[in-house]
Structure formats: structure tokens, C-alpha cells
Amino acid sequence: MSPATRRPPVRVGVFGLLGSGNLGNDGSLEAVLGYLRAEHPDAAVDALCGGPENVTARYGIPATRLHWYRGEYRTASRLGAVAGKGLGKAVDVLRTAAWVRKHDVVIVPGMGVLEATLPLRPWGFPYSLFLLCATGRLLGTRVALVGVGAAPIRNAPTRALVRWSARLAAYRSYRDTLSRDAIRGMGVDTAGDEVYPDLAFALPAPDPSPKSGGPGPVCVGVMDFHGGNDDRARADDIHRRYLDGVIRFVRALTDEGRPVRLLTGDDVDALAVAAILEAVDSPLVTAAGATSLADLMKETAAADTVVATRYHNLVCALKAGTPTLALSYAAKSDALMNRMGLGAYCHPARAVDADRLLAQFRELEAESPRLRRTLAERNRAAARGLAHQFTALTEALFPATTGPTPAHTTRETP
């Protein structure tokens, strides 16, 4: 093709709560940017996201703030704040439409955008996602929900917004079968939708760390956990029981002389880290201070064993090939552990029993050589699965370079 007839670059937007302090969200973005740079290097990429300054600084792409009203995620109690939020919702309709119009394709990279397993209000991100998908359909911009998480939602307004977002998207894929089943249960036709491993499994694995002869460090991934959307009435009790159980577990490890590294996955988790450090008060317990999934993978690769709560803490440990025990707060964690061959090593985050957790931990360590072999095999399978995901994404979103749009592209009429 001559320079005079060369097509203009495809305009690709990425959308979500990116750059806002959640390492899993940013890791999913990093995986998609890696795919775009490898397979579509001429694409012009920018973001509509929660932390535009951070996204631009870290990933080198232009970024626009997701919400006009800067206090969007603060509780509005005064009249002025309530009015500001209300006005912001109206302004965001126009802002979202104007941004979407500039793009050929918008990708929502992974994340649990179709679930409410943690506290969530319908007029927050579910509303923003609905605006994206609705304006994409109206303006002819293909919106792709790529490797996303979903779960059954009891709150009727949130469920309605999630259902219509899924229906209006041009492409959908999921990080587990439970997610696809949840969207099907909301009345969306998912016959053409595929399931692939979580996008973070596409990130580079760290080099193996040398192991000492004796017992080595343990990574404990903690969370400022208060339950989910349906647990608001007992959130304080859930948080207290979770934190007490983790503190007792960490203290038991230090009593045996085991070094413990505390991991987090979101800025808000610093509160849990501070509480544990104060309660245990041992030089054997240190906080990792990771700022990316790559940092988390390096930490978990250096550990003998990992016990973690946040979903992407688990992904990082499993990707690094380290035997892992999940403090599970949602079905997605159980599904991930089953997929990676460690389904027997889950413990409920809502009811942490330190004695039982310690027993499970000892069983996990006893099986470490076998589990490392299992993880190596499952990671190879995950790499193959994500290669298929990115091939399917190219066929669905960039048909000019691959021929006709394949059958698995969502063509549902709202």
C-alpha cells in the first residue's frame, strides 16, 4: 500500500478505574497495552480513567479523567456535594459521548467490571460503564469487555446497569466460567462469548529466585476487607474477624522464626498493613510496598509460600509458580484456584480461623514440590489460552487486517 493510500491508525481507547491505586486493574491495562504494542503498533491509544496523571506517567499514553466531578467516590453528605455529584452525572453523559466518538474501538481491560463482590453503588462505576457501552452503540464505536469478571448481583439498579452494559458491548470475553454464567443469568445471550485466563497471566513472569535449604519467607497478602455489597450491615464485624484471624496467623509464623512479607493490591490496604504491624510488632514482619503486579510477582517468586486475599495477589503468586493458599472472599477466587490446580487450598475470608488456616498452610508446604510442578503446567496452559484471546480480539476489533468478523463477536440487539 502506497503512503498516499495508507489507512489512518486505528484509534483505540482504554477505559476503567485505571491509575487509581488498584494494582490488578493497572496490571490488566498493562497486559492489553502489551498486546496492542506487539500486534497493532500503529494504533493511537489513549485512556478515559480514574487516575489520568498516573496512567500517563506510567504507560506513556494520553489520558482523560473519568468523572467531571472530582469528589465522585467520596460520600456526599452536604447539599453542595450532592448537587455536584448530580450535575456531574449529567455532564459525564456529554463527556463520555465526546470521548467515545473519537475512537474506532474502546477496550475495557479485564477487572471485575460486571460484579459487585465488593461495596459498590449503582451510580458509581456501573453507571459510567453503561454510559460507555450505550454511547458506543449509538455512535458506532466498538466497545469490547475483554477478560472481565462478573458475578450475580442482588441490587436491582446495579444489576440493570450491568445487564445493559453487557448487552450493548460489541465484544465480551470473561476470566472464568462463573462470570459468563452470571451474565447469562441476567438475561444476556452469551452463546458467542468465550472464557480465557485472567489478562494478568499475559504479563512476564519473574526469574526464579534461589531458595535456601531451610524454611524461607512467607508472603501474606492482606486487604482492607469489610465484605461485599450484601454485607454492609455487618461490615465492621467481618473486618474485625478477618483482621484478628490474619494477625493470629502472622504471629504464629513469627513465633516459628519465619520471615513474613505483607503484600497489598490497593492503596486502601495500607490500613490493614498498619494494624498488623502494630499488633505483631516483630522485626520478622515487613511490608513490601509493591507498586505494580510485576513487583508483586517478584515478591511472591522469592517466597516459599503465599497466603493472599486479593484476587490479583493470588494471580501474581500463581503466575510466579509459588504454592498459594487463598483467603477467599468471592467465588472468583475459588474458581481461579481450581483452574490452577490448588482448589483444595482455600479459606473463607469472612470467617478466618487462624488454627485451621495454619493447618492448611502446613499441608500446602508439605505438598510444595508437587504443586510447583502443577503450577508450571497450568501456567503453560494459561499462556496458550491468552494467545487465543488476543487472536480473537484482533479478529473481532481489527477486521481490516484479518478478514471478516468472526462468529464469536457479540452481535446482540438491545
Side-chain angles (χ1 to χ4, degrees):
M1 185 180 292
S2 68
T5 58
R6 185 176 296 147
R7 293 187 183 94
V10 178
R11 300 164 301 174
V12 181
V14 289
F15 177 94
L17 293 177
L18 310 166
S20 301
N22 184 285
L23 302 187
N25 292 359
D26 290 354
S28 299
L29 169 63
E30 186 175 344
V32 165
L33 290 178
Y35 150 72
L36 290 171
R37 287 164 178 163
E39 301 298 329
H40 306 282
D42 294 331
V45 183
D46 73 304
L48 184 64
C49 59
E53 298 87 358
N54 295 331
V55 166
T56 297
R58 172 162 286 183
Y59 303 109
I61 61 173
T64 302
R65 185 172 298 281
L66 179 58
H67 301 291
W68 174 81
Y69 181 62
R70 290 177 176 263
E72 174 62 34
Y73 292 105
R74 294 195 294 267
T75 300
S77 55
R78 295 185 178 181
L79 183 60
V82 172
K85 277 197 173 187
L87 178 60
K89 298 304 175 189
V91 173
D92 285 344
V93 175
L94 302 176
R95 292 178 71 253
T96 302
W99 182 81
V100 167
R101 186 188 292 274
K102 299 175 185 176
H103 299 85
D104 302 299
V105 173
V106 174
I107 296 175
V108 181
M111 307 178 285
V113 297
L114 303 178
E115 65 181 53
T117 52
L118 295 175
L120 183 70
R121 300 294 189 187
W123 53 84
F125 188 77
Y127 174 78
S128 300
L129 183 66
F130 170 74
L131 288 183
L132 171 74
C133 296
T135 54
R137 179 63 68 95
L138 288 170
L139 298 172
T141 298
R142 288 161 287 175
V143 174
L145 309 179
V146 181
V148 298
I153 298 172
R154 293 176 58 183
N155 179 273
T158 302
R159 186 172 62 250
L161 289 167
V162 165
R163 178 173 63 247
W164 278 102
S165 296
R167 282 180 172 171
L168 292 167
Y171 175 91
R172 297 183 299 262
S173 65
Y174 309 93
R175 63 189 179 191
D176 52 47
T177 303
L178 290 175
S179 295
R180 182 172 61 185
D181 291 346
I183 293 302
R184 182 186 298 126
M186 294 182 200
V188 179
D189 181 5
T190 61
D193 299 356
E194 299 291 343
V195 173
Y196 301 100
D198 188 86
L199 288 172
F201 281 103
L203 297 174
D207 294 330
S209 296
K211 305 296 180 185
S212 61
V218 178
C219 282
V220 178
V222 301
M223 182 177 178
D224 187 35
F225 181 61
H226 294 77
N229 235 27
D230 300 328
D231 299 317
R232 292 178 184 273
R234 56 194 188 101
D236 290 343
D237 289 339
I238 289 173
H239 178 66
R240 189 179 305 108
R241 182 167 184 179
Y242 167 80
L243 205 54
D244 288 349
V246 173
I247 287 170
R248 286 187 59 204
F249 174 71
V250 170
R251 188 177 287 127
L253 293 178
T254 60
D255 287 346
E256 296 175 0
R258 298 291 294 269
V260 174
R261 288 284 277 173
L262 300 178
L263 307 181
T264 61
D266 194 291
D267 289 349
V268 300
D269 299 335
L271 296 171
V273 169
I276 294 167
L277 290 173
E278 181 180 5
V280 178
D281 191 22
S282 167
L284 291 172
V285 184
T286 54
T291 60
S292 67
L293 292 194
D295 290 345
L296 285 176
M297 286 188 200
K298 290 176 184 176
E299 291 284 349
T300 57
D304 277 5
T305 314
V306 176
V307 178
T309 311
R310 279 200 182 269
Y311 181 83
H312 279 98
N313 275 197
L314 296 173
V315 169
C316 287
L318 298 168
K319 170 75 176 178
T322 304
T324 302
L325 198 161
L327 286 172
S328 176
Y329 67 86
K332 63 183 179 183
S333 299
D334 297 338
L336 171 66
M337 296 293 283
N338 279 320
R339 185 170 194 157
M340 297 302 288
L342 277 76
Y345 301 102
C346 295
H347 189 97
R350 285 174 175 78
V352 177
D353 180 325
D355 293 333
R356 179 168 168 264
L357 181 60
L358 196 59
Q360 286 181 289
F361 171 81
R362 298 197 195 290
E363 292 171 13
L364 179 72
E365 291 215 310
E367 292 291 320
S368 180
R370 178 182 66 82
L371 294 176
R372 287 181 179 273
R373 292 191 295 271
T374 297
L375 287 173
E377 175 187 331
R378 300 299 171 96
N379 274 307
R380 288 191 290 269
R384 292 192 295 270
L386 283 169
H388 290 305
Q389 163 69 99
F390 292 135
T391 297
L393 197 57
T394 291
E395 292 172 350
L397 301 185
F398 304 92
T401 61
T402 58
T405 301
H408 69 258
T409 299
T410 302
R411 292 184 175 274
E412 189 167 322
T413 302

PDB file of all heavy atoms in Angstrom, residues 233-263:
ATOM      1  N   ALA A 233     -24.414  -4.338  56.503  1.00  0.00           N
ATOM      2  CA  ALA A 233     -24.923  -4.281  57.875  1.00  0.00           C
ATOM      3  C   ALA A 233     -23.949  -4.905  58.871  1.00  0.00           C
ATOM      4  O   ALA A 233     -23.955  -4.549  60.054  1.00  0.00           O
ATOM      5  CB  ALA A 233     -26.281  -4.980  57.972  1.00  0.00           C
ATOM      6  N   ARG A 234     -23.126  -5.823  58.417  1.00  0.00           N
ATOM      7  CA  ARG A 234     -22.174  -6.483  59.330  1.00  0.00           C
ATOM      8  C   ARG A 234     -20.725  -6.270  58.891  1.00  0.00           C
ATOM      9  O   ARG A 234     -19.836  -7.056  59.229  1.00  0.00           O
ATOM     10  CB  ARG A 234     -22.492  -7.973  59.441  1.00  0.00           C
ATOM     11  CG  ARG A 234     -22.522  -8.718  58.130  1.00  0.00           C
ATOM     12  CD  ARG A 234     -23.175 -10.100  58.259  1.00  0.00           C
ATOM     13  NE  ARG A 234     -23.039 -10.881  57.035  1.00  0.00           N
ATOM     14  CZ  ARG A 234     -22.160 -11.849  56.844  1.00  0.00           C
ATOM     15  NH1 ARG A 234     -21.327 -12.172  57.820  1.00  0.00           N
ATOM     16  NH2 ARG A 234     -22.098 -12.507  55.710  1.00  0.00           N
ATOM     17  N   ALA A 235     -20.485  -5.195  58.172  1.00  0.00           N
ATOM     18  CA  ALA A 235     -19.159  -4.946  57.619  1.00  0.00           C
ATOM     19  C   ALA A 235     -18.090  -4.833  58.703  1.00  0.00           C
ATOM     20  O   ALA A 235     -16.981  -5.370  58.559  1.00  0.00           O
ATOM     21  CB  ALA A 235     -19.174  -3.673  56.766  1.00  0.00           C
ATOM     22  N   ASP A 236     -18.409  -4.159  59.810  1.00  0.00           N
ATOM     23  CA  ASP A 236     -17.415  -3.991  60.873  1.00  0.00           C
ATOM     24  C   ASP A 236     -17.050  -5.323  61.518  1.00  0.00           C
ATOM     25  O   ASP A 236     -15.870  -5.584  61.819  1.00  0.00           O
ATOM     26  CB  ASP A 236     -17.937  -3.021  61.937  1.00  0.00           C
ATOM     27  CG  ASP A 236     -18.006  -1.589  61.434  1.00  0.00           C
ATOM     28  OD1 ASP A 236     -17.366  -1.283  60.402  1.00  0.00           O
ATOM     29  OD2 ASP A 236     -18.698  -0.775  62.071  1.00  0.00           O
ATOM     30  N   ASP A 237     -18.046  -6.174  61.736  1.00  0.00           N
ATOM     31  CA  ASP A 237     -17.776  -7.491  62.324  1.00  0.00           C
ATOM     32  C   ASP A 237     -16.922  -8.345  61.394  1.00  0.00           C
ATOM     33  O   ASP A 237     -15.999  -9.044  61.844  1.00  0.00           O
ATOM     34  CB  ASP A 237     -19.092  -8.216  62.631  1.00  0.00           C
ATOM     35  CG  ASP A 237     -19.844  -7.592  63.791  1.00  0.00           C
ATOM     36  OD1 ASP A 237     -19.200  -6.890  64.604  1.00  0.00           O
ATOM     37  OD2 ASP A 237     -21.070  -7.798  63.884  1.00  0.00           O
ATOM     38  N   ILE A 238     -17.233  -8.306  60.103  1.00  0.00           N
ATOM     39  CA  ILE A 238     -16.442  -9.072  59.129  1.00  0.00           C
ATOM     40  C   ILE A 238     -14.994  -8.587  59.123  1.00  0.00           C
ATOM     41  O   ILE A 238     -14.049  -9.389  59.132  1.00  0.00           O
ATOM     42  CB  ILE A 238     -17.073  -8.947  57.724  1.00  0.00           C
ATOM     43  CG1 ILE A 238     -18.385  -9.732  57.662  1.00  0.00           C
ATOM     44  CG2 ILE A 238     -16.109  -9.431  56.642  1.00  0.00           C
ATOM     45  CD1 ILE A 238     -19.167  -9.528  56.385  1.00  0.00           C
ATOM     46  N   HIS A 239     -14.817  -7.272  59.127  1.00  0.00           N
ATOM     47  CA  HIS A 239     -13.468  -6.708  59.106  1.00  0.00           C
ATOM     48  C   HIS A 239     -12.687  -7.112  60.358  1.00  0.00           C
ATOM     49  O   HIS A 239     -11.513  -7.511  60.267  1.00  0.00           O
ATOM     50  CB  HIS A 239     -13.565  -5.186  59.024  1.00  0.00           C
ATOM     51  CG  HIS A 239     -12.240  -4.499  59.042  1.00  0.00           C
ATOM     52  ND1 HIS A 239     -11.321  -4.631  58.032  1.00  0.00           N
ATOM     53  CD2 HIS A 239     -11.676  -3.659  59.961  1.00  0.00           C
ATOM     54  CE1 HIS A 239     -10.248  -3.918  58.314  1.00  0.00           C
ATOM     55  NE2 HIS A 239     -10.435  -3.320  59.474  1.00  0.00           N
ATOM     56  N   ARG A 240     -13.349  -7.028  61.512  1.00  0.00           N
ATOM     57  CA  ARG A 240     -12.667  -7.356  62.765  1.00  0.00           C
ATOM     58  C   ARG A 240     -12.241  -8.824  62.784  1.00  0.00           C
ATOM     59  O   ARG A 240     -11.115  -9.151  63.162  1.00  0.00           O
ATOM     60  CB  ARG A 240     -13.605  -7.056  63.936  1.00  0.00           C
ATOM     61  CG  ARG A 240     -12.935  -7.155  65.302  1.00  0.00           C
ATOM     62  CD  ARG A 240     -13.918  -6.815  66.408  1.00  0.00           C
ATOM     63  NE  ARG A 240     -14.546  -5.506  66.220  1.00  0.00           N
ATOM     64  CZ  ARG A 240     -15.815  -5.318  65.858  1.00  0.00           C
ATOM     65  NH1 ARG A 240     -16.608  -6.363  65.672  1.00  0.00           N
ATOM     66  NH2 ARG A 240     -16.294  -4.102  65.707  1.00  0.00           N
ATOM     67  N   ARG A 241     -13.145  -9.708  62.362  1.00  0.00           N
ATOM     68  CA  ARG A 241     -12.817 -11.141  62.387  1.00  0.00           C
ATOM     69  C   ARG A 241     -11.705 -11.460  61.396  1.00  0.00           C
ATOM     70  O   ARG A 241     -10.808 -12.255  61.696  1.00  0.00           O
ATOM     71  CB  ARG A 241     -14.065 -11.971  62.079  1.00  0.00           C
ATOM     72  CG  ARG A 241     -13.801 -13.469  62.136  1.00  0.00           C
ATOM     73  CD  ARG A 241     -15.072 -14.279  62.139  1.00  0.00           C
ATOM     74  NE  ARG A 241     -14.775 -15.695  62.284  1.00  0.00           N
ATOM     75  CZ  ARG A 241     -15.694 -16.644  62.348  1.00  0.00           C
ATOM     76  NH1 ARG A 241     -16.981 -16.333  62.301  1.00  0.00           N
ATOM     77  NH2 ARG A 241     -15.340 -17.914  62.470  1.00  0.00           N
ATOM     78  N   TYR A 242     -11.762 -10.857  60.225  1.00  0.00           N
ATOM     79  CA  TYR A 242     -10.715 -11.082  59.223  1.00  0.00           C
ATOM     80  C   TYR A 242      -9.355 -10.635  59.755  1.00  0.00           C
ATOM     81  O   TYR A 242      -8.369 -11.385  59.718  1.00  0.00           O
ATOM     82  CB  TYR A 242     -11.062 -10.316  57.946  1.00  0.00           C
ATOM     83  CG  TYR A 242      -9.922 -10.216  56.956  1.00  0.00           C
ATOM     84  CD1 TYR A 242      -9.615 -11.281  56.115  1.00  0.00           C
ATOM     85  CD2 TYR A 242      -9.146  -9.056  56.863  1.00  0.00           C
ATOM     86  CE1 TYR A 242      -8.567 -11.198  55.208  1.00  0.00           C
ATOM     87  CE2 TYR A 242      -8.101  -8.966  55.965  1.00  0.00           C
ATOM     88  CZ  TYR A 242      -7.815 -10.037  55.136  1.00  0.00           C
ATOM     89  OH  TYR A 242      -6.763  -9.951  54.243  1.00  0.00           O
ATOM     90  N   LEU A 243      -9.303  -9.417  60.277  1.00  0.00           N
ATOM     91  CA  LEU A 243      -8.033  -8.868  60.740  1.00  0.00           C
ATOM     92  C   LEU A 243      -7.496  -9.654  61.934  1.00  0.00           C
ATOM     93  O   LEU A 243      -6.288  -9.960  61.997  1.00  0.00           O
ATOM     94  CB  LEU A 243      -8.221  -7.392  61.096  1.00  0.00           C
ATOM     95  CG  LEU A 243      -6.989  -6.495  61.037  1.00  0.00           C
ATOM     96  CD1 LEU A 243      -6.308  -6.593  59.682  1.00  0.00           C
ATOM     97  CD2 LEU A 243      -7.394  -5.056  61.317  1.00  0.00           C
ATOM     98  N   ASP A 244      -8.365 -10.009  62.867  1.00  0.00           N
ATOM     99  CA  ASP A 244      -7.926 -10.791  64.021  1.00  0.00           C
ATOM    100  C   ASP A 244      -7.343 -12.127  63.590  1.00  0.00           C
ATOM    101  O   ASP A 244      -6.307 -12.573  64.116  1.00  0.00           O
ATOM    102  CB  ASP A 244      -9.088 -11.021  64.987  1.00  0.00           C
ATOM    103  CG  ASP A 244      -9.483  -9.761  65.750  1.00  0.00           C
ATOM    104  OD1 ASP A 244      -8.726  -8.769  65.691  1.00  0.00           O
ATOM    105  OD2 ASP A 244     -10.548  -9.770  66.400  1.00  0.00           O
ATOM    106  N   GLY A 245      -7.996 -12.793  62.651  1.00  0.00           N
ATOM    107  CA  GLY A 245      -7.506 -14.088  62.180  1.00  0.00           C
ATOM    108  C   GLY A 245      -6.164 -13.977  61.489  1.00  0.00           C
ATOM    109  O   GLY A 245      -5.261 -14.804  61.712  1.00  0.00           O
ATOM    110  N   VAL A 246      -5.992 -12.963  60.651  1.00  0.00           N
ATOM    111  CA  VAL A 246      -4.722 -12.779  59.952  1.00  0.00           C
ATOM    112  C   VAL A 246      -3.614 -12.438  60.939  1.00  0.00           C
ATOM    113  O   VAL A 246      -2.486 -12.947  60.834  1.00  0.00           O
ATOM    114  CB  VAL A 246      -4.854 -11.693  58.867  1.00  0.00           C
ATOM    115  CG1 VAL A 246      -3.491 -11.372  58.264  1.00  0.00           C
ATOM    116  CG2 VAL A 246      -5.819 -12.149  57.773  1.00  0.00           C
ATOM    117  N   ILE A 247      -3.908 -11.607  61.919  1.00  0.00           N
ATOM    118  CA  ILE A 247      -2.903 -11.256  62.928  1.00  0.00           C
ATOM    119  C   ILE A 247      -2.449 -12.495  63.696  1.00  0.00           C
ATOM    120  O   ILE A 247      -1.243 -12.711  63.905  1.00  0.00           O
ATOM    121  CB  ILE A 247      -3.464 -10.184  63.884  1.00  0.00           C
ATOM    122  CG1 ILE A 247      -3.537  -8.831  63.168  1.00  0.00           C
ATOM    123  CG2 ILE A 247      -2.612 -10.073  65.152  1.00  0.00           C
ATOM    124  CD1 ILE A 247      -4.305  -7.769  63.937  1.00  0.00           C
ATOM    125  N   ARG A 248      -3.383 -13.316  64.103  1.00  0.00           N
ATOM    126  CA  ARG A 248      -3.021 -14.547  64.821  1.00  0.00           C
ATOM    127  C   ARG A 248      -2.171 -15.463  63.943  1.00  0.00           C
ATOM    128  O   ARG A 248      -1.201 -16.075  64.411  1.00  0.00           O
ATOM    129  CB  ARG A 248      -4.276 -15.280  65.275  1.00  0.00           C
ATOM    130  CG  ARG A 248      -4.998 -14.636  66.454  1.00  0.00           C
ATOM    131  CD  ARG A 248      -6.138 -15.533  66.926  1.00  0.00           C
ATOM    132  NE  ARG A 248      -5.649 -16.837  67.320  1.00  0.00           N
ATOM    133  CZ  ARG A 248      -6.381 -17.955  67.330  1.00  0.00           C
ATOM    134  NH1 ARG A 248      -7.645 -17.914  66.938  1.00  0.00           N
ATOM    135  NH2 ARG A 248      -5.855 -19.094  67.716  1.00  0.00           N
ATOM    136  N   PHE A 249      -2.507 -15.547  62.680  1.00  0.00           N
ATOM    137  CA  PHE A 249      -1.746 -16.392  61.759  1.00  0.00           C
ATOM    138  C   PHE A 249      -0.322 -15.863  61.581  1.00  0.00           C
ATOM    139  O   PHE A 249       0.660 -16.623  61.663  1.00  0.00           O
ATOM    140  CB  PHE A 249      -2.474 -16.463  60.416  1.00  0.00           C
ATOM    141  CG  PHE A 249      -1.715 -17.192  59.345  1.00  0.00           C
ATOM    142  CD1 PHE A 249      -1.565 -18.565  59.406  1.00  0.00           C
ATOM    143  CD2 PHE A 249      -1.164 -16.500  58.272  1.00  0.00           C
ATOM    144  CE1 PHE A 249      -0.859 -19.249  58.416  1.00  0.00           C
ATOM    145  CE2 PHE A 249      -0.469 -17.174  57.277  1.00  0.00           C
ATOM    146  CZ  PHE A 249      -0.315 -18.553  57.348  1.00  0.00           C
ATOM    147  N   VAL A 250      -0.182 -14.565  61.360  1.00  0.00           N
ATOM    148  CA  VAL A 250       1.146 -13.965  61.183  1.00  0.00           C
ATOM    149  C   VAL A 250       1.977 -14.126  62.453  1.00  0.00           C
ATOM    150  O   VAL A 250       3.173 -14.445  62.395  1.00  0.00           O
ATOM    151  CB  VAL A 250       1.017 -12.479  60.783  1.00  0.00           C
ATOM    152  CG1 VAL A 250       2.371 -11.776  60.841  1.00  0.00           C
ATOM    153  CG2 VAL A 250       0.420 -12.356  59.390  1.00  0.00           C
ATOM    154  N   ARG A 251       1.337 -13.945  63.591  1.00  0.00           N
ATOM    155  CA  ARG A 251       2.060 -14.097  64.854  1.00  0.00           C
ATOM    156  C   ARG A 251       2.563 -15.531  65.026  1.00  0.00           C
ATOM    157  O   ARG A 251       3.694 -15.768  65.497  1.00  0.00           O
ATOM    158  CB  ARG A 251       1.154 -13.694  66.014  1.00  0.00           C
ATOM    159  CG  ARG A 251       1.899 -13.650  67.358  1.00  0.00           C
ATOM    160  CD  ARG A 251       0.979 -13.189  68.462  1.00  0.00           C
ATOM    161  NE  ARG A 251       0.680 -11.763  68.377  1.00  0.00           N
ATOM    162  CZ  ARG A 251      -0.535 -11.248  68.361  1.00  0.00           C
ATOM    163  NH1 ARG A 251      -1.604 -12.034  68.408  1.00  0.00           N
ATOM    164  NH2 ARG A 251      -0.709  -9.939  68.299  1.00  0.00           N
ATOM    165  N   ALA A 252       1.765 -16.502  64.625  1.00  0.00           N
ATOM    166  CA  ALA A 252       2.183 -17.905  64.725  1.00  0.00           C
ATOM    167  C   ALA A 252       3.397 -18.175  63.833  1.00  0.00           C
ATOM    168  O   ALA A 252       4.308 -18.924  64.225  1.00  0.00           O
ATOM    169  CB  ALA A 252       1.024 -18.823  64.334  1.00  0.00           C
ATOM    170  N   LEU A 253       3.430 -17.583  62.658  1.00  0.00           N
ATOM    171  CA  LEU A 253       4.581 -17.758  61.772  1.00  0.00           C
ATOM    172  C   LEU A 253       5.838 -17.151  62.373  1.00  0.00           C
ATOM    173  O   LEU A 253       6.921 -17.765  62.338  1.00  0.00           O
ATOM    174  CB  LEU A 253       4.298 -17.124  60.404  1.00  0.00           C
ATOM    175  CG  LEU A 253       3.205 -17.762  59.545  1.00  0.00           C
ATOM    176  CD1 LEU A 253       3.026 -16.972  58.251  1.00  0.00           C
ATOM    177  CD2 LEU A 253       3.535 -19.214  59.222  1.00  0.00           C
ATOM    178  N   THR A 254       5.721 -15.963  62.935  1.00  0.00           N
ATOM    179  CA  THR A 254       6.906 -15.325  63.521  1.00  0.00           C
ATOM    180  C   THR A 254       7.380 -16.066  64.767  1.00  0.00           C
ATOM    181  O   THR A 254       8.577 -16.095  65.056  1.00  0.00           O
ATOM    182  CB  THR A 254       6.634 -13.847  63.858  1.00  0.00           C
ATOM    183  OG1 THR A 254       5.549 -13.757  64.793  1.00  0.00           O
ATOM    184  CG2 THR A 254       6.291 -13.065  62.603  1.00  0.00           C
ATOM    185  N   ASP A 255       6.469 -16.665  65.504  1.00  0.00           N
ATOM    186  CA  ASP A 255       6.864 -17.467  66.663  1.00  0.00           C
ATOM    187  C   ASP A 255       7.738 -18.648  66.249  1.00  0.00           C
ATOM    188  O   ASP A 255       8.533 -19.151  67.048  1.00  0.00           O
ATOM    189  CB  ASP A 255       5.632 -17.980  67.399  1.00  0.00           C
ATOM    190  CG  ASP A 255       4.912 -16.884  68.176  1.00  0.00           C
ATOM    191  OD1 ASP A 255       5.513 -15.799  68.356  1.00  0.00           O
ATOM    192  OD2 ASP A 255       3.755 -17.098  68.581  1.00  0.00           O
ATOM    193  N   GLU A 256       7.581 -19.086  65.001  1.00  0.00           N
ATOM    194  CA  GLU A 256       8.411 -20.180  64.488  1.00  0.00           C
ATOM    195  C   GLU A 256       9.662 -19.658  63.778  1.00  0.00           C
ATOM    196  O   GLU A 256      10.410 -20.439  63.182  1.00  0.00           O
ATOM    197  CB  GLU A 256       7.590 -21.021  63.513  1.00  0.00           C
ATOM    198  CG  GLU A 256       6.400 -21.722  64.167  1.00  0.00           C
ATOM    199  CD  GLU A 256       5.527 -22.451  63.159  1.00  0.00           C
ATOM    200  OE1 GLU A 256       5.856 -22.414  61.942  1.00  0.00           O
ATOM    201  OE2 GLU A 256       4.526 -23.061  63.565  1.00  0.00           O
ATOM    202  N   GLY A 257       9.847 -18.337  63.792  1.00  0.00           N
ATOM    203  CA  GLY A 257      11.028 -17.749  63.172  1.00  0.00           C
ATOM    204  C   GLY A 257      10.921 -17.519  61.682  1.00  0.00           C
ATOM    205  O   GLY A 257      11.933 -17.257  61.015  1.00  0.00           O
ATOM    206  N   ARG A 258       9.699 -17.554  61.128  1.00  0.00           N
ATOM    207  CA  ARG A 258       9.526 -17.372  59.694  1.00  0.00           C
ATOM    208  C   ARG A 258       9.410 -15.883  59.352  1.00  0.00           C
ATOM    209  O   ARG A 258       8.573 -15.170  59.930  1.00  0.00           O
ATOM    210  CB  ARG A 258       8.260 -18.091  59.208  1.00  0.00           C
ATOM    211  CG  ARG A 258       8.251 -19.597  59.403  1.00  0.00           C
ATOM    212  CD  ARG A 258       9.237 -20.301  58.503  1.00  0.00           C
ATOM    213  NE  ARG A 258       8.909 -20.212  57.094  1.00  0.00           N
ATOM    214  CZ  ARG A 258       8.151 -21.107  56.436  1.00  0.00           C
ATOM    215  NH1 ARG A 258       7.608 -22.134  57.096  1.00  0.00           N
ATOM    216  NH2 ARG A 258       7.949 -20.992  55.143  1.00  0.00           N
ATOM    217  N   PRO A 259      10.198 -15.383  58.435  1.00  0.00           N
ATOM    218  CA  PRO A 259      10.008 -14.004  57.961  1.00  0.00           C
ATOM    219  C   PRO A 259       8.692 -13.894  57.185  1.00  0.00           C
ATOM    220  O   PRO A 259       8.343 -14.780  56.400  1.00  0.00           O
ATOM    221  CB  PRO A 259      11.211 -13.771  57.033  1.00  0.00           C
ATOM    222  CG  PRO A 259      12.164 -14.888  57.304  1.00  0.00           C
ATOM    223  CD  PRO A 259      11.356 -16.033  57.790  1.00  0.00           C
ATOM    224  N   VAL A 260       7.996 -12.791  57.382  1.00  0.00           N
ATOM    225  CA  VAL A 260       6.707 -12.561  56.727  1.00  0.00           C
ATOM    226  C   VAL A 260       6.759 -11.238  55.976  1.00  0.00           C
ATOM    227  O   VAL A 260       7.135 -10.207  56.539  1.00  0.00           O
ATOM    228  CB  VAL A 260       5.548 -12.543  57.751  1.00  0.00           C
ATOM    229  CG1 VAL A 260       4.238 -12.167  57.067  1.00  0.00           C
ATOM    230  CG2 VAL A 260       5.429 -13.883  58.457  1.00  0.00           C
ATOM    231  N   ARG A 261       6.371 -11.271  54.693  1.00  0.00           N
ATOM    232  CA  ARG A 261       6.257 -10.056  53.879  1.00  0.00           C
ATOM    233  C   ARG A 261       4.783  -9.790  53.640  1.00  0.00           C
ATOM    234  O   ARG A 261       4.055 -10.636  53.097  1.00  0.00           O
ATOM    235  CB  ARG A 261       6.962 -10.248  52.538  1.00  0.00           C
ATOM    236  CG  ARG A 261       8.466 -10.273  52.655  1.00  0.00           C
ATOM    237  CD  ARG A 261       9.053  -8.898  52.861  1.00  0.00           C
ATOM    238  NE  ARG A 261       9.220  -8.159  51.600  1.00  0.00           N
ATOM    239  CZ  ARG A 261       9.595  -6.893  51.550  1.00  0.00           C
ATOM    240  NH1 ARG A 261       9.797  -6.203  52.674  1.00  0.00           N
ATOM    241  NH2 ARG A 261       9.752  -6.280  50.384  1.00  0.00           N
ATOM    242  N   LEU A 262       4.322  -8.612  54.041  1.00  0.00           N
ATOM    243  CA  LEU A 262       2.922  -8.242  53.845  1.00  0.00           C
ATOM    244  C   LEU A 262       2.750  -7.598  52.474  1.00  0.00           C
ATOM    245  O   LEU A 262       3.442  -6.631  52.134  1.00  0.00           O
ATOM    246  CB  LEU A 262       2.477  -7.273  54.941  1.00  0.00           C
ATOM    247  CG  LEU A 262       2.565  -7.795  56.377  1.00  0.00           C
ATOM    248  CD1 LEU A 262       2.130  -6.711  57.364  1.00  0.00           C
ATOM    249  CD2 LEU A 262       1.718  -9.057  56.566  1.00  0.00           C
ATOM    250  N   LEU A 263       1.825  -8.137  51.686  1.00  0.00           N
ATOM    251  CA  LEU A 263       1.533  -7.627  50.357  1.00  0.00           C
ATOM    252  C   LEU A 263       0.163  -6.966  50.337  1.00  0.00           C
ATOM    253  O   LEU A 263      -0.729  -7.340  51.101  1.00  0.00           O
ATOM    254  CB  LEU A 263       1.537  -8.762  49.329  1.00  0.00           C
ATOM    255  CG  LEU A 263       2.762  -9.672  49.272  1.00  0.00           C
ATOM    256  CD1 LEU A 263       2.571 -10.721  48.178  1.00  0.00           C
ATOM    257  CD2 LEU A 263       4.028  -8.867  49.034  1.00  0.00           C
TER     258      LEU A 263
END
